Amino acid sequence: MKRRIRALCAHTFLLASVPCCGGSDGFPAEWGSVDEVSSALVNHNALNPNALNPNALNPNALDPIALAPNRLASNALSAAVRAAITRPGELGAMSRQLLQYIVSCALTPSQSFRFSWRDERGELREEVYRGYLGLAASWAIAPLSESREQWVSACVASRANRAGVSVMISSRAAHLALRHPDASEVESYPMEEGAFWGNLFATPPRLYACYNESNVESARALSRDCAAGLPEPGGGVRECPNIHIVGSCDLACDAPGAADGYRPSCTDDRGESWSAVITTFLP
């Protein structure tokens, strides 16, 4: 499927070449081109949910809150962020994994984020994280706005997988990059798993999920359980770390549109309504 946003001009930075364009779809003007990209996320859907709030495990891990005030470029990173993503060992690996998913959600395929670090043996490692969906492509040149924080957060949460299994999903939302899946995608991914929303960049981070009651067992069979959780022997469900399940999407969210099927807004357990919601579909 092709998604095109007309490019009006180009700006070249250290890490990314970013064509710019204006939006007339009710969202703030975005930057970048979403071209020849299907919203079916066919890889990198095995994010460790512990990485969504790694500071809960160790204060030296990557803190997403420290990313938002600056543009997403290597020479704009704070000392704390740079230390987290260049740290060798398991904690550094978790920070780099989270950053890779953030970049994939935020930037477009024409953009990338590059940096280097040294492992325990002192060998230089070069990292190149490429964009994919373009939900906040302007982050390459400017700080992340609150609305874009929420879109990136919903995307990252939707790609968490407790089992570490990469599962093909179709992500649909009101955002221009995800709004119009083609007919073949809708046909190939007919089963609504649930929806994800929140803000990974807030203090503290707040991430939410809901589930389609009819498809809970089918989703679990595909190793996707962050929307509905895993049943506990004594009753109740075990949530994915850092993602709070609010219940059935039919109760927490507005009804999906007939054409594209995404949930236009959902409400958290505090009664707050969110419009940056990503609805996920499975084969």
Side-chain angles (χ1 to χ4, degrees), residues 38-87:
S38 170
S39 63
L41 304 179
V42 296
N43 51 32
H44 297 306
N45 294 295
L47 174 64
N48 180 351
N50 284 315
L52 293 172
N53 187 15
N55 283 62
L57 304 178
N58 189 303
N60 293 318
L62 174 63
D63 184 356
I65 299 168
L67 283 172
N70 302 305
R71 63 188 179 93
L72 190 59
S74 180
N75 59 359
L77 298 180
S78 68
V81 169
R82 182 175 294 279
I85 64 174
T86 59
R87 183 187 183 100

Side-chain angles (χ1 to χ4, degrees), residues 224-247:
R224 290 279 301 181
D225 58 65
C226 286
L230 284 178
E232 294 278 24
V237 296
R238 185 168 77 253
E239 298 178 335
C240 283
N242 306 305
I243 301 176
H244 178 56
I245 301 169
V246 299

Side-chain angles (χ1 to χ4, degrees), residues 3 19 21 33 41 45 64 71 82 89 101 133 140 151 157 169 176 178 182 203 213-214 219 251 258 266:
R3 310 277 176 78
C21 66
S33 172
L41 304 179
N45 294 295
R71 63 188 179 93
R82 182 175 294 279
Y101 276 81
L133 286 183
W151 280 116
I169 64 174
L176 182 61
L178 299 175
D182 61 24
T203 306
E213 292 185 85
S214 300
L251 298 178
C266 296

Side-chain angles (χ1 to χ4, degrees), residues 121-197:
R121 295 174 295 182
E123 295 183 3
L124 186 66
R125 301 294 189 95
E126 299 286 347
E127 302 285 347
V128 181
Y129 298 160
R130 302 197 179 280
Y132 188 60
L133 286 183
L135 298 177
S138 59
W139 195 8
I141 63 166
L144 197 60
S145 67
E146 184 177 7
S147 64
R148 293 184 176 96
E149 288 178 359
Q150 294 176 10
W151 280 116
V152 172
S153 299
C155 174
V156 172
S158 73
R159 301 171 76 177
N161 188 294
R162 191 198 320 256
V165 177
S166 184
V167 180
M168 294 176 68
I169 64 174
S170 171
S171 296
R172 304 171 201 171
H175 194 289
L176 182 61
L178 299 175
R179 189 183 301 173
H180 301 298
D182 61 24
S184 63
E185 180 178 334
V186 173
E187 182 179 358
S188 298
Y189 298 84
M191 183 174 65
E192 181 192 22
E193 174 195 22
F196 298 84
W197 66 95

Side-chain angles (χ1 to χ4, degrees), residues 193-212:
E193 174 195 22
F196 298 84
W197 66 95
N199 195 337
L200 182 62
F201 304 88
T203 306
R206 298 167 58 194
L207 296 173
Y208 302 96
C210 66
Y211 52 84
N212 183 312

Side-chain angles (χ1 to χ4, degrees), residues 30-31 34 103-109 111 131-137 175 177:
E30 271 293 3
W31 296 70
V34 184
V103 170
S104 178
C105 288
L107 302 185
T108 70
Q111 299 171 290
Y132 188 60
L133 286 183
L135 298 177
H175 194 289

